[in-house]
Amino acid sequence: MSRLGLRRRLARLPGVRRAGRALGPLRAQAHELGALIAASWRRSLQLRVVVSTLALSSAVVLVLGLVLQSEIAERLLSSKMEAARAQADVSRVVLERELSGFDPDREGAQETLDLALQHLTNTDRSGAASSAVGEFRAALATEIGNGPVVSAGPIDEVTNEQRSELAPGMMSRQYHTVGGQTNLVIGQTIITPGRNLQFFLLFPLDGEQLTLYLVQSTLVVGGLVLLVLLAAIASLVTRQVVRPIREAADVAERFAGGHLDERMAVRGEDEVARLAESYNEMAGSLAAQIAQLEEFGALQRRFTSDVSHELRTPLTTVRMAADVLYASRDELLPALRRSSELLVTELDRFEELLADLLEISRLDAGVAELGAERIDLSAVVRRAADAVRGLASDAGTDLVLDLPDGELVEADPRRVERIVRNLVANAIDHGEGRPVEVTMAGDPASVAVVVRDHGVGLRPGEADLVFNRFWRAEESRARRSGGTGLGLSISIEDARLHGGWLQAWGEPGNGSAFRLTLPRLVGGHISASPLPLGPPAAADESGARGGRPGSSVPTPPRGVTSRREDGRAENPDPPFRGGSAPTREDAPLLPAERALIDPGGDR
């Protein structure tokens, strides 16, 4: 049975299911705690510096503590070993003198050994060597395997290995633990007239162990105190650097929000003070340039508005004269008749251009009003399609409408009809005579209208320019609709005015699509569109390639800010009027941001 099958069978057991349900809240809490820690780690420079300092300091303190402990233990054992050897030499001399005529095979050998050890301990305890080496115990025994064993003292605490390896003229040492007590055992051979004796001194290491424990506890406590002090020092030092950075970030955010008089406080003459001075100089320069640009923009808008208004009077006069000529065109010569027809056609286009310029100037000035009312969007889209049916007939283009009834929204019908009319006329212009599809669908929060053509499409990067004023995909292409070049620019501003989106997609040879998404209610929030922007087949192929089908342009609602991952607001407005904001595809996005920056996939 495979591991997967075994896991599935175990998961079906009632006890496992109950345990899983019981551990569910704990897993959720652990996941939330992990997410909170990860967010704090990403957002706090001070936390990262303090934790990094603690981690490195802990490694340094640990290595230093181990080195110190090893060095101290080695020094203690070395000192103990030197004192033990000195004591062993002194004791060997005493015993050789005491046992110079000793024969272990005689009667009373045991008492002789006991008296010798007693005399040894009484003599050595009063000497300088004994005071240096501390307490010790002595043991005497005949060699193993050389007749009956005669011993005195704690000979059973000496290992047979050490006794068997001990040879005349050499000194052996061994650490041996008996009953939880560790001893340093020093062995030597004492030559007697009879059989040789093995002499051992046992030095308990209790004092050295206590010293090592004291050193270890001191190192641990000192290391913890040192880490706490290092953490406090790192926090204080980092705070001195992070606090000016936070203040600079707050000032920069307020400056970006329109408070152009915000400046950083300059304290001292260090690097932070130089940063504050440089920032203040930059902010002053930017404020001056922004004020200058605003003044130029106001002058430009005023000029456009004034010129548009001033042109209306002569245009009206010219219109009246053109209408008179056009009405009597049958009485004119053929060349003059054609001239009167061209004059009326161009005057119509001129009036449309003036109307669009006035509308653009009102949108730029922010005085455009939204006459919202509750409407059936399908009826408005049908009226817009009917308005361009003549243009579609001239181009030989079929209009395919898929407009379900009952999609109610709060919107300005005049502006919505103008948006759809511009989109359909643009699709007819570039549809190469192929059918133009107008599809509508809705969800509880929004309603979307997609105008799709199957013409020349858009080259990569052109979807970023399609909403620019007077921009044309092909300079040599003539417009069948006689447009002014401002239709899509006005449409995108109308979409923003509703709090909706207007997005473009296109691929060379596969046509293009424009999607209008409107909220059900004025001021409603849109997180996704009910209709896909690009074709599903192209979207699937693009997903397989790791790219996107063509390109799309987001149209976030004017004045609505999206939220970044760090919780700070971003300005969704494009960097220039009539254009589109660049996407941030390299940054992690929240769901609402993914909806705003639509790659053309199916939502």
Side-chain angles (χ1 to χ4, degrees):
M1 182 182 296
S2 63
R3 294 183 178 179
L4 181 60
L6 181 60
R7 290 179 181 177
R8 289 178 177 175
R9 294 190 61 181
L10 290 176
R12 295 192 188 101
L13 297 177
V16 176
R17 291 181 178 179
R18 288 194 298 269
R21 287 193 296 268
L23 295 177
L26 295 178
R27 287 198 297 267
Q29 293 178 0
H31 180 72
E32 293 178 359
L33 181 60
L36 180 61
I37 294 175
S40 301
W41 177 264
R42 291 193 305 269
R43 297 172 183 174
S44 177
L45 175 62
Q46 185 174 5
L47 177 62
R48 293 199 298 270
V49 171
V50 171
V51 172
S52 302
T53 303
L54 280 179
L56 296 176
S57 302
S58 300
V60 172
V61 169
L62 179 61
V63 172
L64 182 60
L66 293 177
V67 171
L68 289 177
Q69 179 181 349
S70 176
E71 186 69 19
I72 292 174
E74 185 178 356
R75 293 292 180 86
L76 286 174
L77 292 178
S78 177
S79 176
K80 186 74 172 181
M81 181 64 66
E82 291 179 0
R85 286 178 177 177
Q87 181 65 45
D89 290 337
V90 173
S91 300
R92 178 179 56 80
V93 172
V94 172
L95 288 178
E96 286 180 348
R97 185 176 61 251
E98 293 288 334
L99 301 174
S100 58
F102 175 74
D103 185 0
D105 296 326
R106 292 180 183 177
E107 185 178 356
Q110 181 70 43
E111 290 79 2
T112 304
L113 292 179
D114 291 338
L115 290 175
L117 288 182
Q118 184 178 4
H119 184 264
L120 173 67
T121 55
N122 291 335
T123 303
D124 289 341
R125 287 183 188 280
S126 60
S130 178
S131 61
V133 78
E135 295 183 357
F136 64 89
R137 293 176 296 166
L140 283 171
T142 57
E143 294 178 341
I144 299 176
N146 190 13
V149 176
V150 180
S151 64
I155 194 64
D156 55 339
E157 296 185 13
V158 181
T159 62
N160 292 331
E161 178 183 1
Q162 184 178 6
R163 294 186 61 188
S164 61
E165 293 179 354
L166 185 61
M170 66 170 292
M171 177 182 293
S172 68
R173 63 174 183 176
Q174 188 180 49
Y175 295 99
H176 183 53
T177 302
V178 177
Q181 184 180 22
T182 302
N183 297 314
L184 171 60
V185 182
I186 301 294
Q188 288 180 308
T189 301
I190 298 178
I191 300 176
T192 61
R195 287 181 294 165
N196 294 335
L197 297 176
Q198 292 180 337
F199 168 55
F200 299 94
L201 291 179
L202 288 78
F203 301 92
L205 301 178
D206 295 340
E208 285 72 16
Q209 287 180 342
L210 290 176
T211 303
L212 284 179
Y213 291 152
L214 179 61
V215 169
Q216 289 176 353
S217 60
T218 302
L219 290 176
V220 170
V221 174
L224 293 177
V225 172
L226 180 60
L227 290 178
V228 172
L229 293 177
L230 287 175
I233 293 172
S235 179
L236 292 175
V237 173
T238 309
R239 183 179 177 83
Q240 293 180 359
V241 178
V242 171
R243 183 170 59 183
I245 296 177
R246 290 176 179 171
E247 293 177 355
D250 294 339
V251 172
E253 288 181 356
R254 291 194 295 270
F255 185 87
H259 302 279
L260 302 182
D261 57 343
E262 288 289 338
R263 298 293 184 272
M264 289 182 61
V266 180
R267 304 183 184 91
E269 299 178 356
D270 54 6
E271 289 80 1
V272 177
R274 291 174 56 192
L275 172 64
E277 292 175 354
S278 301
Y279 175 83
N280 292 340
E281 292 178 1
M282 179 193 67
S285 176
L286 287 177
Q289 294 181 21
I290 290 173
Q292 186 178 9
L293 290 175
E294 288 179 349
E295 183 179 356
F296 288 162
L299 290 175
Q300 181 183 8
R301 291 192 297 269
R302 190 180 305 114
F303 174 78
T304 303
S305 179
D306 293 343
V307 168
S308 301
H309 281 289
E310 292 298 329
L311 285 177
R312 280 193 172 276
T313 300
L315 180 62
T316 303
T317 304
V318 175
R319 164 62 72 181
M320 293 173 61
D323 290 341
V324 171
L325 292 175
Y326 187 77
S328 58
R329 66 186 182 278
D330 295 335
E331 303 174 2
L332 301 175
L333 296 175
L336 296 177
R337 185 185 307 119
R338 179 57 180 166
S339 298
S340 65
E341 292 174 354
L342 292 176
L343 178 60
V344 171
T345 302
E346 293 303 319
L347 283 174
D348 291 339
R349 184 180 176 188
F350 193 21
E351 287 182 340
E352 291 179 4
L353 177 59
L354 282 179
D356 289 346
L357 287 174
L358 286 173
E359 185 67 22
I360 282 288
S361 64
R362 283 193 293 268
L363 291 169
D364 287 345
V367 297
E369 295 181 356
L370 185 68
E373 58 184 71
R374 194 162 184 79
I375 59 174
D376 185 353
L377 190 59
S378 60
V380 176
V381 175
R382 284 193 182 91
R383 286 200 306 269
D386 292 339
V388 294
R389 281 194 184 275
L391 179 64
S393 299
D394 295 340
T397 301
D398 295 331
L399 294 181
V400 181
L401 305 181
D402 182 9
L403 307 174
D405 296 328
E407 298 293 349
L408 302 179
V409 296
E410 287 185 0
D412 188 335
R414 178 181 65 87
R415 296 182 183 276
V416 174
E417 183 178 349
R418 180 168 60 189
I419 294 173
V420 178
R421 185 171 64 248
N422 286 332
L423 296 180
V424 176
N426 185 71
I428 294 172
D429 279 342
H430 300 86
E432 300 288 320
R434 298 185 181 92
V436 172
E437 302 164 1
V438 182
T439 309
M440 186 175 69
D443 59 23
S446 61
V447 180
V449 178
V450 174
V451 179
R452 175 83 161 89
D453 68 74
H454 301 273
V456 295
L458 295 173
R459 292 188 293 267
E462 289 185 346
D464 297 334
L465 305 172
V466 71
F467 295 106
N468 289 359
R469 300 173 186 180
F470 302 109
W471 183 85
R472 297 173 63 180
E474 296 180 20
E475 296 296 334
S476 61
R477 176 179 292 274
R479 296 187 180 95
R480 293 189 179 89
S481 60
T484 63
L486 295 173
L488 292 179
S489 301
I490 296 175
S491 297
I492 196 173
E493 298 295 339
D494 285 338
R496 286 196 181 102
L497 196 61
H498 283 85
W501 303 340
L502 181 58
Q503 296 160 300
W505 170 90
E507 251 187 0
N510 288 332
S512 58
F514 289 80
R515 180 175 65 186
L516 171 66
T517 308
L518 299 175
R520 293 276 187 181
L521 303 176
V522 174
H525 175 68
I526 302 176
S527 60
S529 182
L531 287 174
L533 181 56
D540 295 341
E541 182 182 357
S542 149
R545 294 194 310 261
R548 59 181 185 177
S551 57
S552 69
V553 174
T555 309
R558 182 185 298 279
V560 177
T561 57
S562 60
R563 306 297 296 180
R564 300 189 311 191
E565 188 180 3
D566 58 2
R568 297 177 179 174
E570 288 184 345
N571 184 10
D573 288 338
F576 50 86
R577 294 278 184 182
S580 57
T583 58
R584 295 183 297 110
E585 298 182 17
D586 56 340
L589 301 176
L590 296 175
E593 290 180 288
R594 295 191 186 99
L596 289 176
I597 303 178
D598 193 338
D602 189 357
R603 291 199 175 277

